[in-house]
């Protein structure tokens, strides 16, 4: 998945929360809690599993203090909500609200490949996710 598609992926997850960050044998996994999109696959779903494939990098940089947090245990203690996504050099920078808007930071994501799964570990393509998102917003506009 090229950088532009990675940026698109995180843009689709706008307002989603990053949870359960963990190392895997070939990268890093986390859950994006974004129920309004996930429940379009199955009503009981709350989010998506995102897997960053090697080489993978994930860290948070606090905007106010410039403190960098790489420890997943520490990151999992912070309420991280996706707001805006940009490309910077060779990675995706995800601007996030931290701890309910008490501060802000950049989640820096670098991966050669990103895979997306539903909670039952069924693979979801970026194209399918884009369609789910488009259909949600089309329905939202029709509801007025």
């Amino acid at each position: 998945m090229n950088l532009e598609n990675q940026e698109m992926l995180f843009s689709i997850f706008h307002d989603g929360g990053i949870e359960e960050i963990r190392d895997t044998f070939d990268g890093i996994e986390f859950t994006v809690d974004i129920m309004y999109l996930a429940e379009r696959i199955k009503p009981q779903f709350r989010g998506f599993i995102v897997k960053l494939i090697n080489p993978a990098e994930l860290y948070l940089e606090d905007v106010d203090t410039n403190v960098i947090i790489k420890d997943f245990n520490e990151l999992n203690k912070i309420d991280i909500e996706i707001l805006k996504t940009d490309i910077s050099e060779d990675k995706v920078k995800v601007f996030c609200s931290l701890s309910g808007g008490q501060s802000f930071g950049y989640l820096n994501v670098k991966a050669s490949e990103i895979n997306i799964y539903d909670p039952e570990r069924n693979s979801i393509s970026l194209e399918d996710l884009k369609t789910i998102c488009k259909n949600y917003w089309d329905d939202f506009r029709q509801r007025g």
Side-chain angles (χ1 to χ4, degrees), residues 113-132:
E113 189 63 43
I114 299 178
N115 296 332
I116 313 154
Y117 304 96
D118 71 22
E120 294 175 347
R121 292 251 176 217
N122 297 306
S123 183
I124 298 173
S125 72
L126 180 60
E127 288 305 312
D128 288 344
L129 194 58
K130 285 164 60 173
T131 300
I132 291 166

mmCIF file of all heavy atoms in Angstrom, residues 113-132:
data_model
loop_
_atom_site.group_PDB
_atom_site.id
_atom_site.type_symbol
_atom_site.label_atom_id
_atom_site.label_comp_id
_atom_site.label_asym_id
_atom_site.label_seq_id
_atom_site.Cartn_x
_atom_site.Cartn_y
_atom_site.Cartn_z
ATOM 1 N N GLU A 113 3.591 -2.115 4.201
ATOM 2 C CA GLU A 113 2.263 -2.606 3.827
ATOM 3 C C GLU A 113 1.347 -2.480 5.033
ATOM 4 O O GLU A 113 1.802 -2.579 6.173
ATOM 5 C CB GLU A 113 2.338 -4.063 3.369
ATOM 6 C CG GLU A 113 1.069 -4.593 2.767
ATOM 7 C CD GLU A 113 0.665 -3.861 1.484
ATOM 8 O OE1 GLU A 113 1.524 -3.581 0.638
ATOM 9 O OE2 GLU A 113 -0.531 -3.559 1.366
ATOM 10 N N ILE A 114 0.078 -2.242 4.777
ATOM 11 C CA ILE A 114 -0.925 -2.198 5.832
ATOM 12 C C ILE A 114 -2.078 -3.103 5.419
ATOM 13 O O ILE A 114 -2.591 -2.978 4.296
ATOM 14 C CB ILE A 114 -1.446 -0.766 6.091
ATOM 15 C CG1 ILE A 114 -0.299 0.142 6.536
ATOM 16 C CG2 ILE A 114 -2.560 -0.787 7.143
ATOM 17 C CD1 ILE A 114 -0.705 1.593 6.782
ATOM 18 N N ASN A 115 -2.454 -3.996 6.307
ATOM 19 C CA ASN A 115 -3.604 -4.867 6.079
ATOM 20 C C ASN A 115 -4.730 -4.463 7.021
ATOM 21 O O ASN A 115 -4.476 -4.048 8.150
ATOM 22 C CB ASN A 115 -3.236 -6.331 6.311
ATOM 23 C CG ASN A 115 -2.197 -6.829 5.325
ATOM 24 O OD1 ASN A 115 -2.110 -6.345 4.201
ATOM 25 N ND2 ASN A 115 -1.402 -7.782 5.743
ATOM 26 N N ILE A 116 -5.963 -4.615 6.554
ATOM 27 C CA ILE A 116 -7.142 -4.244 7.326
ATOM 28 C C ILE A 116 -8.019 -5.483 7.476
ATOM 29 O O ILE A 116 -8.225 -6.215 6.502
ATOM 30 C CB ILE A 116 -7.946 -3.142 6.602
ATOM 31 C CG1 ILE A 116 -7.033 -2.023 6.118
ATOM 32 C CG2 ILE A 116 -9.065 -2.606 7.497
ATOM 33 C CD1 ILE A 116 -7.569 -1.262 4.933
ATOM 34 N N TYR A 117 -8.544 -5.676 8.692
ATOM 35 C CA TYR A 117 -9.404 -6.830 8.976
ATOM 36 C C TYR A 117 -10.615 -6.382 9.774
ATOM 37 O O TYR A 117 -10.541 -5.424 10.544
ATOM 38 C CB TYR A 117 -8.650 -7.876 9.806
ATOM 39 C CG TYR A 117 -7.362 -8.343 9.185
ATOM 40 C CD1 TYR A 117 -6.151 -7.764 9.545
ATOM 41 C CD2 TYR A 117 -7.350 -9.356 8.238
ATOM 42 C CE1 TYR A 117 -4.960 -8.174 8.980
ATOM 43 C CE2 TYR A 117 -6.158 -9.777 7.663
ATOM 44 C CZ TYR A 117 -4.969 -9.186 8.037
ATOM 45 O OH TYR A 117 -3.789 -9.595 7.475
ATOM 46 N N ASP A 118 -11.714 -7.129 9.617
ATOM 47 C CA ASP A 118 -12.837 -6.912 10.517
ATOM 48 C C ASP A 118 -12.545 -7.672 11.815
ATOM 49 O O ASP A 118 -11.527 -8.385 11.896
ATOM 50 C CB ASP A 118 -14.162 -7.324 9.858
ATOM 51 C CG ASP A 118 -14.352 -8.823 9.673
ATOM 52 O OD1 ASP A 118 -13.708 -9.635 10.370
ATOM 53 O OD2 ASP A 118 -15.179 -9.193 8.822
ATOM 54 N N PRO A 119 -13.370 -7.533 12.857
ATOM 55 C CA PRO A 119 -13.081 -8.201 14.132
ATOM 56 C C PRO A 119 -13.024 -9.732 14.059
ATOM 57 O O PRO A 119 -12.471 -10.369 14.947
ATOM 58 C CB PRO A 119 -14.230 -7.740 15.031
ATOM 59 C CG PRO A 119 -14.604 -6.415 14.483
ATOM 60 C CD PRO A 119 -14.454 -6.567 12.987
ATOM 61 N N GLU A 120 -13.573 -10.312 12.994
ATOM 62 C CA GLU A 120 -13.498 -11.769 12.809
ATOM 63 C C GLU A 120 -12.292 -12.168 11.971
ATOM 64 O O GLU A 120 -12.151 -13.309 11.573
ATOM 65 C CB GLU A 120 -14.795 -12.274 12.170
ATOM 66 C CG GLU A 120 -15.995 -12.110 13.082
ATOM 67 C CD GLU A 120 -17.302 -12.487 12.425
ATOM 68 O OE1 GLU A 120 -17.350 -12.652 11.173
ATOM 69 O OE2 GLU A 120 -18.298 -12.616 13.160
ATOM 70 N N ARG A 121 -11.424 -11.219 11.701
ATOM 71 C CA ARG A 121 -10.172 -11.405 10.946
ATOM 72 C C ARG A 121 -10.393 -11.689 9.459
ATOM 73 O O ARG A 121 -9.552 -12.286 8.794
ATOM 74 C CB ARG A 121 -9.306 -12.502 11.558
ATOM 75 C CG ARG A 121 -8.758 -12.107 12.897
ATOM 76 C CD ARG A 121 -7.299 -11.865 12.754
ATOM 77 N NE ARG A 121 -6.761 -11.387 14.016
ATOM 78 C CZ ARG A 121 -5.827 -10.488 14.089
ATOM 79 N NH1 ARG A 121 -5.310 -9.995 13.009
ATOM 80 N NH2 ARG A 121 -5.369 -10.079 15.236
ATOM 81 N N ASN A 122 -11.507 -11.216 8.918
ATOM 82 C CA ASN A 122 -11.719 -11.268 7.479
ATOM 83 C C ASN A 122 -11.026 -10.048 6.879
ATOM 84 O O ASN A 122 -11.198 -8.929 7.372
ATOM 85 C CB ASN A 122 -13.212 -11.235 7.139
ATOM 86 C CG ASN A 122 -13.937 -12.435 7.680
ATOM 87 O OD1 ASN A 122 -13.559 -13.565 7.414
ATOM 88 N ND2 ASN A 122 -14.965 -12.186 8.473
ATOM 89 N N SER A 123 -10.257 -10.272 5.826
ATOM 90 C CA SER A 123 -9.519 -9.189 5.183
ATOM 91 C C SER A 123 -10.489 -8.219 4.503
ATOM 92 O O SER A 123 -11.488 -8.634 3.915
ATOM 93 C CB SER A 123 -8.563 -9.782 4.151
ATOM 94 O OG SER A 123 -7.803 -8.767 3.560
ATOM 95 N N ILE A 124 -10.180 -6.927 4.614
ATOM 96 C CA ILE A 124 -10.981 -5.891 3.975
ATOM 97 C C ILE A 124 -10.031 -5.040 3.131
ATOM 98 O O ILE A 124 -9.016 -4.559 3.634
ATOM 99 C CB ILE A 124 -11.681 -5.002 5.021
ATOM 100 C CG1 ILE A 124 -12.631 -5.853 5.863
ATOM 101 C CG2 ILE A 124 -12.431 -3.853 4.352
ATOM 102 C CD1 ILE A 124 -13.240 -5.103 7.022
ATOM 103 N N SER A 125 -10.373 -4.871 1.871
ATOM 104 C CA SER A 125 -9.526 -4.056 1.000
ATOM 105 C C SER A 125 -9.804 -2.570 1.250
ATOM 106 O O SER A 125 -10.862 -2.190 1.763
ATOM 107 C CB SER A 125 -9.794 -4.389 -0.469
ATOM 108 O OG SER A 125 -11.067 -3.884 -0.862
ATOM 109 N N LEU A 126 -8.852 -1.749 0.873
ATOM 110 C CA LEU A 126 -9.038 -0.310 0.981
ATOM 111 C C LEU A 126 -10.221 0.124 0.125
ATOM 112 O O LEU A 126 -11.007 0.978 0.531
ATOM 113 C CB LEU A 126 -7.767 0.439 0.580
ATOM 114 C CG LEU A 126 -7.840 1.957 0.648
ATOM 115 C CD1 LEU A 126 -8.154 2.439 2.063
ATOM 116 C CD2 LEU A 126 -6.537 2.573 0.158
ATOM 117 N N GLU A 127 -10.377 -0.479 -1.038
ATOM 118 C CA GLU A 127 -11.505 -0.139 -1.918
ATOM 119 C C GLU A 127 -12.838 -0.452 -1.243
ATOM 120 O O GLU A 127 -13.779 0.336 -1.325
ATOM 121 C CB GLU A 127 -11.390 -0.866 -3.263
ATOM 122 C CG GLU A 127 -10.293 -0.327 -4.150
ATOM 123 C CD GLU A 127 -10.401 1.181 -4.397
ATOM 124 O OE1 GLU A 127 -11.500 1.676 -4.729
ATOM 125 O OE2 GLU A 127 -9.374 1.869 -4.249
ATOM 126 N N ASP A 128 -12.925 -1.607 -0.579
ATOM 127 C CA ASP A 128 -14.158 -1.961 0.142
ATOM 128 C C ASP A 128 -14.419 -0.962 1.267
ATOM 129 O O ASP A 128 -15.555 -0.542 1.485
ATOM 130 C CB ASP A 128 -14.079 -3.372 0.713
ATOM 131 C CG ASP A 128 -14.170 -4.445 -0.355
ATOM 132 O OD1 ASP A 128 -14.599 -4.136 -1.489
ATOM 133 O OD2 ASP A 128 -13.804 -5.597 -0.058
ATOM 134 N N LEU A 129 -13.369 -0.584 1.970
ATOM 135 C CA LEU A 129 -13.505 0.371 3.068
ATOM 136 C C LEU A 129 -13.952 1.740 2.543
ATOM 137 O O LEU A 129 -14.803 2.407 3.145
ATOM 138 C CB LEU A 129 -12.192 0.471 3.832
ATOM 139 C CG LEU A 129 -12.252 1.148 5.189
ATOM 140 C CD1 LEU A 129 -13.231 0.467 6.123
ATOM 141 C CD2 LEU A 129 -10.868 1.148 5.826
ATOM 142 N N LYS A 130 -13.404 2.146 1.403
ATOM 143 C CA LYS A 130 -13.820 3.415 0.789
ATOM 144 C C LYS A 130 -15.307 3.367 0.425
ATOM 145 O O LYS A 130 -16.030 4.353 0.629
ATOM 146 C CB LYS A 130 -12.972 3.705 -0.453
ATOM 147 C CG LYS A 130 -11.575 4.182 -0.119
ATOM 148 C CD LYS A 130 -10.595 4.131 -1.266
ATOM 149 C CE LYS A 130 -10.888 4.906 -2.478
ATOM 150 N NZ LYS A 130 -9.762 4.890 -3.455
ATOM 151 N N THR A 131 -15.773 2.243 -0.085
ATOM 152 C CA THR A 131 -17.190 2.089 -0.436
ATOM 153 C C THR A 131 -18.072 2.138 0.802
ATOM 154 O O THR A 131 -19.107 2.812 0.806
ATOM 155 C CB THR A 131 -17.412 0.757 -1.197
ATOM 156 O OG1 THR A 131 -16.619 0.777 -2.383
ATOM 157 C CG2 THR A 131 -18.868 0.552 -1.553
ATOM 158 N N ILE A 132 -17.657 1.455 1.863
ATOM 159 C CA ILE A 132 -18.406 1.483 3.125
ATOM 160 C C ILE A 132 -18.520 2.921 3.625
ATOM 161 O O ILE A 132 -19.591 3.374 4.037
ATOM 162 C CB ILE A 132 -17.728 0.579 4.179
ATOM 163 C CG1 ILE A 132 -17.864 -0.887 3.784
ATOM 164 C CG2 ILE A 132 -18.292 0.821 5.569
ATOM 165 C CD1 ILE A 132 -16.953 -1.834 4.564
#
